[in-house]
Amino acid sequence: MKEFLYGDLAIIGMSGCEKFVEQVDSYLREWRNHGEASSFLIDVDCPRFGTGEAKAFIHQSMRGHDVYIISDCFNYGVTYDMRGYKVPMSPDDHFQDLKRVIAAIEGKARRISVIMPMLYEGRQHKRSGRESLDCALALQELVQMGVSNIITFDAHDPRVQNAIPLSGFDDVRPSYQMLKALVKEFPDISLAHDQIMIISPDEGGMSRCMYYSSVMGVDIGMFYKRRNYAVIINGKNPIEAHEYLGKDIRGKDVIVVDDMISSGESMIDVSRQLKEKGARRIFHFVTFGLFCNGLEQFDQAYEEGIINKVFTTNLVYCPPELLERPWYKQVNMCKYVSYIIDTLNHDESISTLLNPVKRIHNLLDNQAKRVAGESSKEIEE
């Protein structure tokens, strides 16, 4: 690693990201000065008036700094007081606070990068009628305010970056971290091509599944969502059925890959069909676990043997009760984010971090030897 720094490192964690940024800061201090360096975290407040209005206040100058702002726009666990009520922060509230902090920097920073794991309004990425293009507008607004780089994870559709073609936009996928977590949780699992399959729950998720399939050298399958386009419920056309397209999965372990769990109904329906088709064990790799309709249906699915494990990252807020569920495993992404920040602060390329093919191949080789009883090597970080 070069000694050159683009600017003095400064990390700002927005409301709800405190524990996450503390871990990121701990890694960076350990790498740079054996844990003896002062914290890179910047103290920021976003106080609110009784009406719900707010402002941002930074307690030190950002002049000449290389600033990284980490924002979880989907953290409903953060609340504020308004007219005597406790109001949970919505994605809109979080995004407004992010803009307030950027405004409080006053253009004095040498560079501002925003790490927004789940992209704000990422599901409203294309126009199919007289409707707003919220994600494109949000990206353009951040760039106009002086943001140089926007880093997100598993964007619902990365083509939304076309809205800001002259600015930095990196879409990161936690493929290696998910596989590593699976191997640690189930040491006996075989990742050989005749023992496991990758399944996409819909046609829109095929690109991320094709990555797993090609890197691992295993077969891929897909479910087609048959919708009723004559009806609109809660702003979308309801799904009438999931039709499976792919090879026989009987007797194989299955990994279902998706970007998010919203209500979870589709995921459970897909799992039920896979079980009926003879799948041995069913694992879900999902970057963002939102669980908007609660956890009870997943509890029931686990009791029925429909799902074996759901892996999601800690990039968005997870309620404490979720961490206690036997069917759930959280994948910690703090070290990965620390690598990204450290590399960018040295003004180096993050290409190798974005495409971990070599690490995945090493993981597959070591796991094959471990299953065969030939290796006890620790999994590479």
Side-chain angles (χ1 to χ4, degrees), residues 310-364:
V310 177
F311 296 84
T312 76
T313 70
N314 65 335
L315 292 169
V316 294
Y317 173 71
C318 294
E321 58 269 22
L322 175 61
L323 301 175
E324 300 171 356
R325 292 303 202 268
W327 47 264
Y328 176 75
K329 179 65 178 179
Q330 187 179 74
V331 180
N332 193 326
M333 299 296 294
C334 292
K335 193 170 188 178
Y336 193 23
V337 172
S338 303
Y339 279 133
I340 292 172
I341 292 175
D342 189 50
T343 304
L344 290 177
N345 184 225
H346 285 87
D347 215 27
E348 294 186 336
S349 171
I350 60 172
S351 297
T352 55
L353 292 174
L354 300 182
N355 190 18
V357 173
K358 184 177 179 181
R359 282 180 290 161
I360 291 177
H361 284 168
N362 289 339
L363 177 66
L364 296 176

Side-chain angles (χ1 to χ4, degrees), residues 269-317:
D269 184 39
V270 164
S271 299
R272 182 172 283 109
Q273 289 199 45
L274 290 171
K275 206 66 179 178
E276 291 172 356
K277 294 180 185 299
R280 183 168 52 194
R281 291 179 293 186
I282 300 174
F283 310 106
H284 288 266
F285 286 1
V286 185
T287 308
F288 308 112
L290 305 179
F291 299 100
C292 297
N293 289 9
L295 306 177
E296 290 74 18
Q297 58 183 334
F298 290 90
D299 294 336
Q300 183 178 351
Y302 178 72
E303 291 173 2
E304 295 174 5
I306 296 172
I307 59 175
N308 292 88
K309 210 75 174 182
V310 177
F311 296 84
T312 76
T313 70
N314 65 335
L315 292 169
V316 294
Y317 173 71

Side-chain angles (χ1 to χ4, degrees), residues 141-181:
E141 195 168 7
L142 291 176
V143 169
Q144 290 165 6
M145 294 185 73
V147 174
S148 301
N149 301 316
I150 297 172
I151 301 163
T152 191
F153 284 76
D154 215 346
H156 194 65
D157 190 338
R159 290 175 296 183
V160 75
Q161 66 185 286
N162 293 338
I164 49 170
L166 301 181
S167 300
F169 183 97
D170 290 301
D171 180 30
V172 187
R173 288 182 176 172
S175 309
Y176 171 69
Q177 286 76 14
M178 287 290 188
L179 286 170
K180 182 176 69 172

